[in-house]
Amino acid sequence: MVMTFAAVLIGLMLLIRPLQRNSFYVLHCALVVLSAWYVEGHWFRVSAFHYKTFLLFLVFHFISINIITILAYWKDKRAAVSGGWRVPEAQLHTLEFLGGWSGALLAQKMFRHKTRKKSFRAVFWLMLVLQVFAVWIILKYLRIIA
């Protein structure tokens, strides 16, 4: 199970160049792989291609990417207030597209950050629509929906 998670996440990072420079994505990969290692060693063992492995990957990915997205928004807000180096908007949008849109929405409300900039909000909602469309295409391809 650990090898499956590591292969998927590191493979994505190697294939998609902007992910290589996104330190938050690297942290997300580490969290997912460590949680998979813990579950495999303490709870149960399943094969790499078992449906439980895929479901666990989705759960770990969703929780981790949302926590990392909130962390990225917090860091960007803190840098905006103190005048430090900001987190690039492309990195924030990448985290949103990879599933962290709910964490981004929560962080925008909690920190009152990125709520007035219309161009950022437009791309945020575009990322959400693209993610929903991508999930729909995947479910259609897997013949889960008609």
Side-chain angles (χ1 to χ4, degrees), residues 82-102:
S82 66
W85 288 95
R86 305 282 303 272
V87 176
E89 288 185 1
Q91 287 189 7
L92 294 175
H93 290 311
T94 302
L95 294 171
E96 295 161 5
F97 179 72
L98 292 174
W101 63 269
S102 56

Side-chain angles (χ1 to χ4, degrees), residues 9-50:
L9 293 172
I10 294 170
L12 276 175
M13 189 169 31
L14 293 175
L15 290 174
I16 303 171
R17 192 149 187 82
L19 290 180
Q20 296 170 1
R21 290 172 273 167
N22 191 336
S23 59
F24 292 105
Y25 181 76
V26 174
L27 182 60
H28 162 66
C29 290
L31 279 176
V32 171
V33 170
L34 284 174
S35 60
W37 172 78
Y38 179 78
V39 166
E40 182 180 276
H42 293 86
W43 287 349
F44 59 89
R45 289 187 176 275
V46 293
S47 72
F49 300 105
H50 196 267

Side-chain angles (χ1 to χ4, degrees), residues 127-145:
M127 288 296 123
L128 178 58
V129 168
L130 287 175
Q131 184 186 14
V132 168
F133 183 68
V135 168
W136 181 76
I137 292 283
I138 291 168
L139 293 176
K140 193 104 167 133
Y141 177 76
L142 294 174
R143 296 184 181 160
I144 295 173
I145 60 173

